[in-house]
Amino acid sequence: MSAKAAKIVIREVNKNQRLVLGLASGRTPLGFYQRLRLAHKQGKVSFNNVIVFNLDEYIGLGKDYKNSYGYYLRHQFADKVGIKDSNLYLLNGRAKDLKKECQNYEAKIRKQNGIDWLILGIGKNGHIAFNEPGSSFRSITRVINLTYSSRLANAPYFNSLAKVPKRAITVGLGTIMRAKNIILMAAGKNKAEIIAQTLKSEKNRAVPASALQEHKNLIVILDKLAASCL
Ligand code: F6R
């Protein structure tokens, strides 16, 4: 899964040095970032002019806090492959004016002419980025209340459920659908059911990822277990 996704992104960056990437955090893309780091180290790809947007951030966590997605993206990818600071767009979970932070982020994405390749994981409840069930298919970057399911899935990083932030900023489903190309990755048995619902159930707001059914350039990359209910 990771190798396939990395191969596509390396190919695309080699075609367009100024590619705009939207990148998920979490467990799923760890191997993908590892492969991108390796390819960079081996001189197979240059990320010098690549532009990166992260997709979500916990509210209340500074970008230097190790469980923040900003920290994750820097340490798993951006800082390791030479993404310029001026080309790295991270959501600020400690912005004083969160509404403005969200509006500015949408504007920054638009200014880059949108996201060329968006890399997504999926939550067990069907969230993509942090668009929780019930999210509007047209939603844009905004503040969202995290569900129990999402907080529970991330509790191990915080050592306790109580410490997992209750809110996040996330790009919207509308923002995601405007990306020119999307790769959805999933691995493991615990993603099998939601992957089947995402791809086979009728598009509905209870499964936010089902919005992807209508995307013109969607690539789904699964391991065998995640594909086992298809
Ligand atoms: C993280 C994100 C989330 C994760 C999802 C799956 O930036 O956007 O949608 O992709 O929660 O998380 P993992 O990969 O940890 O199972």
Side-chain angles (χ1 to χ4, degrees):
M1 177 193 73
S2 305
K4 281 210 161 136
K7 200 172 163 192
I8 295 169
V9 169
I10 292 164
R11 182 192 73 203
E12 294 302 317
V13 172
N14 282 331
K15 273 201 258 171
N16 172 11
Q17 304 275 310
R18 291 191 54 80
L19 205 72
V20 181
L21 296 175
L23 298 177
S25 312
R27 292 176 201 86
T28 309
L30 286 171
F32 162 75
Y33 293 125
Q34 186 194 18
R35 278 164 175 81
L36 294 185
R37 292 196 303 268
L38 185 66
H40 169 259
K41 205 167 157 196
Q42 293 172 336
K44 291 183 179 157
V45 61
S46 162
F47 291 98
N48 283 353
N49 295 308
V50 166
I51 293 151
V52 171
F53 285 89
N54 78 343
L55 304 184
D56 39 16
E57 185 57 280
Y58 293 110
I59 288 179
L61 301 195
K63 61 180 180 344
D64 297 324
Y65 185 78
K66 77 171 179 28
N67 282 330
S68 76
Y69 285 161
Y71 184 96
Y72 171 105
L73 209 56
R74 277 190 176 280
H75 287 260
Q76 292 298 330
F77 181 60
D79 287 355
K80 304 285 163 65
V81 301
I83 301 284
K84 288 185 193 126
D85 271 352
S86 55
N87 285 341
L88 179 62
Y89 295 92
L90 301 175
L91 282 156
N92 179 5
R94 300 190 72 178
K96 282 210 182 81
D97 187 338
L98 290 168
K99 201 168 169 195
K100 201 158 200 178
E101 175 70 10
C102 296
Q103 285 167 350
N104 288 345
Y105 206 67
E106 280 292 324
K108 284 174 193 166
I109 295 174
R110 272 200 309 274
K111 205 170 162 202
Q112 297 295 341
N113 290 320
I115 292 170
D116 294 316
W117 282 84
L118 186 60
I119 313 301
L120 294 175
I122 184 169
K124 264 184 78 174
N125 64 357
H127 72 233
I128 44 177
F130 266 141
N131 291 283
E132 298 283 28
S135 293
S136 155
F137 289 131
R138 288 196 192 160
S139 53
I140 58 171
T141 304
R142 70 203 187 287
V143 170
I144 190 133
N145 292 323
L146 295 175
T147 58
Y148 176 73
S149 154
S150 299
R151 294 182 64 237
L152 193 64
N154 287 296
Y157 296 110
F158 292 83
N159 296 322
S160 89
L161 178 61
K163 289 190 185 141
V164 183
K166 295 200 166 76
R167 294 190 308 157
I169 307 180
T170 182
V171 296
L173 292 175
T175 323
I176 288 173
M177 290 302 283
R178 277 189 290 280
K180 290 164 201 129
N181 303 275
I182 298 180
I183 297 176
L184 172 67
M185 284 197 276
K189 184 99 192 90
N190 70 335
K191 299 288 172 70
E193 206 163 296
I194 196 63
I195 282 294
Q197 283 183 43
T198 295
L199 300 175
K200 291 166 90 178
S201 72
E202 234 170 73
K203 184 183 151 192
N204 73 94
R205 279 163 72 146
V207 182
S210 66
L212 298 173
Q213 292 175 8
E214 287 186 354
H215 198 279
K216 299 273 185 297
N217 297 306
L218 171 71
I219 300 173
V220 182
I221 308 178
L222 309 168
D223 74 352
K224 277 203 175 130
L225 288 171
S228 60
C229 292
L230 290 176

